[in-house]
Amino acid sequence: MKQIPALVETMYWDGHTITLWPYHLRRLQKGIDHYQLNADEDMIRELVMHRLQQGTNMPQKVRLELSERGADVRLSAFTREPDRIIKLGQATGLVLDSTSATGLKTTDRAIYHQAQEQAQQQHCDDVLIPNEKGHWVETAIFNIIWQDPDTDVLFTPAAREGGVAGVMKAFLLDKDNIREAVLYPEILQTAKAVWVCNALRGVLPVSRIGTQEYIIQDFPYIK
């Protein structure tokens, strides 16, 4: 019997609260239901808060791993870099399968580890990964957002395209800050601006993807 992967949530503790905590719980519950794990939101909440009470009021990266064997919570010092500018490359030989994607973040991350290795080889922060249709979906650790040059509307790859259903992405969709669409390769040639996002680091601007450069601007519309 194949062992199921563990669910993973990488969260940001700002010293007082976990940013986007309800969204992390929502994704975890989907994973619990999907893999039929013996866990629930109350147990997770108690475990995480107990661990944080033993920790510090300084900003932390909180990593929760939940599997058939139980749950593990680890803290590590982390400081956000709101002024950081991201440079992306493009993955080669890596393909996400949209037909089997669950949207969950798990320890089954071989393709993402390979993407990070390619990013190092390309001397950039991360690389975009396509699905089997040739559409760009996400990077090793970020979801991607782009701005239409004609309407200024912000888009992110649709859930049906595969990849991880990011927590920050879910928040921005709920706030109507962004809309879902297909990220065809040619769109990146004309996009007005590009950002990446995740729950730990927030939303960061992208200055270039490969040789294509973009204007740097603060992310609009977050309420």
Side-chain angles (χ1 to χ4, degrees):
M1 184 185 216
K2 183 179 179 181
Q3 186 176 16
I4 65 172
L7 300 173
V8 175
E9 292 294 326
T10 306
M11 302 171 278
Y12 179 63
W13 169 257
D14 65 6
H16 305 283
T17 187
I18 291 179
T19 305
L20 304 178
W21 176 235
Y23 288 86
H24 286 290
L25 284 177
R26 187 168 75 183
R27 187 168 65 179
L28 275 169
Q29 189 60 56
K30 289 181 180 178
I32 289 168
D33 295 341
H34 180 79
Y35 290 119
Q36 299 182 322
L37 298 177
N38 183 25
D40 57 38
E41 287 188 13
D42 290 338
M43 180 273 282
I44 293 166
R45 185 180 292 106
E46 182 177 350
L47 177 68
V48 172
M49 293 308 168
H50 177 71
R51 183 68 182 86
L52 285 168
Q53 288 170 3
Q54 299 174 326
T56 174
N57 59 359
M58 298 298 291
Q60 299 281 310
K61 171 183 175 181
V62 183
R63 188 180 189 278
L64 168 67
E65 190 170 307
L66 179 65
S67 70
E68 296 172 302
R69 299 182 299 279
D72 179 59
V73 179
R74 299 185 182 184
L75 306 181
S76 56
F78 182 84
T79 302
R80 279 189 167 180
E81 301 175 280
D83 297 325
R84 183 180 176 187
I85 297 173
I86 301 296
K87 296 179 181 179
L88 298 177
Q90 298 177 350
T92 57
L94 302 179
V95 177
L96 293 163
D97 184 0
S98 67
T99 63
S100 62
T102 63
L104 302 172
K105 185 175 180 179
T106 74
T107 51
D108 183 12
R109 297 187 60 76
I111 190 171
Y112 300 110
H113 294 322
Q114 293 175 56
Q116 289 176 315
E117 290 174 359
Q118 289 194 13
Q120 291 181 345
Q121 294 165 3
Q122 296 180 33
H123 304 290
C124 56
D125 298 294
D126 207 336
V127 293
L128 277 172
I129 310 172
N131 62 16
E132 78 284 358
K133 305 169 192 173
H135 307 158
W136 295 119
V137 179
E138 61 184 348
T139 76
I141 63 170
F142 291 111
N143 288 124
I144 187 165
I145 300 165
W146 72 94
Q147 187 173 35
D148 182 87
D150 300 318
T151 65
D152 284 343
V153 174
L154 307 180
F155 293 99
T156 191
R160 66 179 182 275
E161 292 291 284
V164 175
V167 163
M168 176 60 78
K169 173 179 174 175
F171 170 77
L172 295 173
L173 284 167
D174 281 355
K175 290 290 185 180
D176 292 326
N177 289 165
I178 59 177
R179 302 177 188 176
E180 289 191 319
V182 175
L183 181 49
Y184 298 103
E186 58 268 24
I187 288 177
L188 292 179
Q189 298 173 12
T190 58
K192 183 176 180 179
V194 178
W195 296 265
V196 290
C197 68
N198 65 30
L200 182 64
R201 295 167 176 81
V203 185
L204 299 171
V206 173
S207 62
R208 68 173 173 85
I209 301 175
T211 58
Q212 182 75 38
E213 296 187 351
Y214 303 94
I215 62 170
I216 302 301
Q217 62 183 38
D218 292 336
F219 187 79
Y221 313 135
I222 292 181
K223 294 174 274 200

